[in-house]
Amino acid sequence: MLILEGKAVCGGIVEGRLELYAGKPLQSRERSYLENPAVVEETGAVFDSNVELELYKQAKAEAIRQLEALYQKALTEAGETEAAIFAAHQLLVEDPNYEAVVYDQITKRQRRAAEAVQIAGEMIAEAFASMKDDYIRARAADIQDVTGRLLGLLLEKTDNRQKKRMSQAEGGVKGETAEQEISQEKVILLAEDFTPSETLQLDKSRIAAFVTRRGSENSHTAILARTLGIPAVVGLCCGECCDGLERWAGFPAIVDGGTGRIYIEPDAKTKAALQERFAKEVQRKQGLQALKGKENRTLSGQTIKLYANIGSVEDAEEALEQDAGGIGLFRSEFLYLGESDPGEERQFQAYRTVVERLAEGNRPVVIRTLDIGADKQADYFGLEPEENPAMGYRAIRICLEHPDLFHVQLRAIYRASQYGVVRILLPMITSLEEVQEAKRQIETVKRELSEEGIPYGEVRLGLMIETPAAALISDRLAQEADFFSIGTNDLIQYTLAVDRQNPRLGRFYQPYHEGVLRLIRLVIKNAHEAGRPVGICGELAADLSLTEEWLRLGVDELSVAPSMILPVRERIRECW
Ligand code: PEP
Ligand code: MG
């Protein structure tokens, strides 16, 4: 048994077979495998170009099968335009130039299949990236994507060969029997890191948990895992114990998302102990069910609204299942993180579905306008890489500079507003002028819809208070808006000058820092003096050690991941 420890991101104890994440552009995982002679050595195989060519052919055939299946799935679930990318990737896998480089590397330079694929990917991606034509340049990312897929498959094959040898050494059939048993289970995905868009595309029906070697618990990937309820551990120890982690692909493991521990090939005693904890967790969850339909009321009678954070239509179902009083934060940018721009119509349909589902009981839906940039990237936006992306071109800054983009989203939101209670929330506000400019654009959209005879409802305007500047001028901002929502994730990042994406800064990301708490108190005071309600939608809203403090300060609303609704309700009901 090997025990690894990382940062706990989303609780839950799950068992599964470890699988390397295949659909990723080249990252250090593949590089470290190739550069680490100890790992290559352990494969134990003497170089044989025929074996390597055969491995490559098998990986190529499997990649084509996977892409064909993805194409068919996208075609039925999303349409021709969305599916096209998978057809394009199939063509790249079959590209004769790519294949020629791979063959050359294996036969003439005696490189193993994985290394040959990596070199081919890099050479062709570089050639594409240097072209003048924008379209061809953009294909460099596709080449990396396809190469990542092939590499993942090749590494898996190497791991399986190694595992087979090990089981033969241990006396044959035992390992194979184990493999048959575990193949029935879901998988635990092992990756270097995930971007938010990759996290969104994970197939939840197949994936029990994910584990990443890098990553921070404050990133959007971590937030997404919590929203989706996928047990996850990030930022595994980067010491020697993690070298050659790929060798464990195919092995059974248990992930404890609550403690951040991964038990590879757990022994019977460990399994029994985890099983006992698991049973207790199930019992606790069952106990929480009794709180559905109950009020968020303290023992002294104070009430607070308890809403859910979502990123998709499916999350809204989960929010309802968990008895959320509304949607306090719809991270609309997640609709943009797929393969293509969702445009007005697709957005409208998504918002309308959520709004209609929540309309029963007059539950509000707070839609945050596009908060793209920094770690949330979509290739088709073509945002230029930045030196300091967290402080960079993101959120409202992009929307104000691209009124066309903002306009489309505002139209979709306003059109959906006739089906229930809709509110707009502007992210990353730092000045009054930004709010005033956004309001002018909102007026233009309203005028346009009226001229077109399209009905819309009354939409209140809220501001995310997630920069120190916004907190400090919240008295002035309160005159321009109907409500505030405090984004503690970014507020901590910007107040403490700690990049929330950077795992090395974990200990400096201090949610309870007096500087942060003073700003939060100031915002609540300023909002209330102006007669505006104020909520918290960052992760601190779900921090049970702060629930009492939020109540004491008179926060009007907490918005949390769907899975945290009932635990927070339980805590509220214990408070005086
Ligand atoms: C926040 O910053 O607290 C917030 C809710 O926004 P996000 O986490 O999406 O940046
Ligand atoms: Mg934020």
Side-chain angles (χ1 to χ4, degrees), residues 368 394 466 490 500:
R368 178 172 74 185
R394 53 172 290 203
E466 52 183 346
D490 276 320
R500 67 195 260 197

Side-chain angles (χ1 to χ4, degrees), residues 43 87 93 98 108 120 190 204 294 319 435 540:
T43 64
V93 175
Y98 190 102
K108 302 211 177 107
L190 183 60
K204 263 183 79 182
K294 294 257 164 62
V435 183
L540 282 197

Side-chain angles (χ1 to χ4, degrees), residues 47 49-50 52-54 56-58 60 95-111 113 116-117 120:
F47 182 83
S49 62
N50 288 329
E52 298 303 320
L53 284 174
E54 187 52 35
Y56 166 66
K57 282 187 209 156
Q58 285 173 14
K60 179 179 154 188
D95 184 84
N97 293 324
Y98 190 102
E99 184 151 306
V101 179
V102 176
Y103 269 68
D104 188 74
Q105 291 293 326
I106 295 175
T107 54
K108 302 211 177 107
R109 291 166 205 271
Q110 300 232 317
R111 305 237 196 243
V117 160

Side-chain angles (χ1 to χ4, degrees), residues 220 223 329 331 368 376 464 466 487-490 500 538:
H220 284 98
I223 288 172
L329 175 65
R331 287 184 164 98
R368 178 172 74 185
K376 289 178 279 192
M464 289 282 298
E466 52 183 346
T488 52
N489 309 334
D490 276 320
R500 67 195 260 197

Side-chain angles (χ1 to χ4, degrees), residues 143-162:
I143 282 284
Q144 285 182 326
D145 205 329
V146 160
T147 303
R149 183 178 296 280
L150 283 168
L151 261 174
L153 289 164
L154 283 165
L155 292 174
E156 211 173 319
K157 281 184 191 307
T158 314
D159 293 329
N160 286 343
R161 273 193 304 173
Q162 185 192 343

Side-chain angles (χ1 to χ4, degrees), residues 411-426:
R411 276 183 64 96
I413 297 174
Y414 264 88
R415 282 174 61 197
S417 69
Q418 59 176 304
Y419 300 98
V421 186
V422 172
R423 292 175 192 156
I424 287 180
L425 185 59
L426 302 176

